[in-house]
Amino acid sequence: MALLDVSGVTLRYKTSSAVVTATERVSFTVDKSDRFVLLGPSGCGKSTLLKAVGGYMSPSEGRMTIGDREIRGPGADRMMIFQEFDQLLPWKSVLANVMFPLLTARKLSRKDAEARARAYIEKVGLTRVVDAYPHTLSGGMKQRVAIARGMAMEPDILLMDEPFAALDALTRRTCQDELLQLWSETRFTVLFVTHSIAEAIRIGNRILLLSPHPGRVKAEVVDVDKVGNDDGSAGRLEKEIHDLLFAGEATAH
Ligand SMILES: Nc1ncnc2c1ncn2[C@@H]1O[C@H](COP(=O)(O)OP(=O)(O)O)[C@@H](O)[C@H]1O
Ligand SMILES: [Mg+2]
């Protein structure tokens, strides 16, 4: 059985003047240890889908389950990591930021929470700034703290919304490599959103392609891991995905 089952999910925003359909009848399943990527152009509803899986928004149509539980609201079984660098609490140190959800969820005692937090801070290579405050850190370091904080909760699934999109190209590449290294150590499950085809191929073992607004499923690319890492085959897959994403559209992008 799949870990996450999203079935026929339509998500709408109702504003005072209009109803915006962000995604329409989107279905996919994520298995344990998948690095499942939602890929599509800006505005196709990726963040909205992630918000719904996080439990912050209810579908107008369809249903979502994690394990065999219907998703009805936020829970410690799903941890979200955002693109923005300001997701940390500015008045708390790195250690206190990573400990915070562990304490709030009453998952562990203070002593155990600190030990758990220190272990994950070490995993992301930030032990030397464990007592520093967010404003003294670079963007890449802040994102590593956010990842450590999410992972320390040991959720069933990590939800990552373009976590590296605001980083410079070199830092982004390093952060992608580190995420893959962490994955190879613990094989956590991640649902990763990006608008970058190259990033989707680097991160994912499965990639769901979404059409432009409103987001519908165009195709699913499986077994991405089997594609060699040499630039030739990654480049070919990139072209294939590009053609699938924009198939049937009047104008080239
Ligand atoms: N709070 C909101 N109220 C109304 N419309 C929204 C809101 N958030 C997003 N939208 C609309 O929903 C669509 C999908 O947005 P989003 O999920 O942010 O896309 P993506 O993350 O793929 O760029 C867009 O048309 C966007 O304008
Ligand atoms: Mg988004």
Side-chain angles (χ1 to χ4, degrees), residues 82-123:
F82 299 94
Q83 175 180 338
E84 292 77 18
F85 296 155
D86 61 2
Q87 61 193 300
L88 304 175
L89 300 169
W91 61 88
K92 286 187 184 285
S93 69
V94 166
L95 179 63
N97 262 285
V98 178
M99 284 173 68
F100 185 70
L102 289 166
L103 296 173
T104 315
R106 299 176 186 277
K107 254 180 116 81
L108 300 172
S109 69
R110 178 163 283 277
K111 186 164 158 280
D112 290 345
E114 180 171 338
R116 171 91 68 91
R118 285 186 185 277
Y120 279 92
I121 289 166
E122 188 181 346
K123 273 187 197 294

Side-chain angles (χ1 to χ4, degrees), residues 43 46-48 83 161-162 193:
K46 305 179 296 297
S47 294
T48 306
Q83 175 180 338
D161 192 356
E162 311 217 30
V193 160

Side-chain angles (χ1 to χ4, degrees), residues 190-215:
V190 58
L191 180 57
F192 190 103
V193 160
T194 183
H195 66 265
S196 154
I197 301 177
E199 182 167 70
I201 293 171
R202 279 181 64 74
I203 297 291
N205 66 316
R206 296 165 69 191
I207 306 174
L208 193 77
L209 311 186
L210 295 168
S211 69
H213 182 74

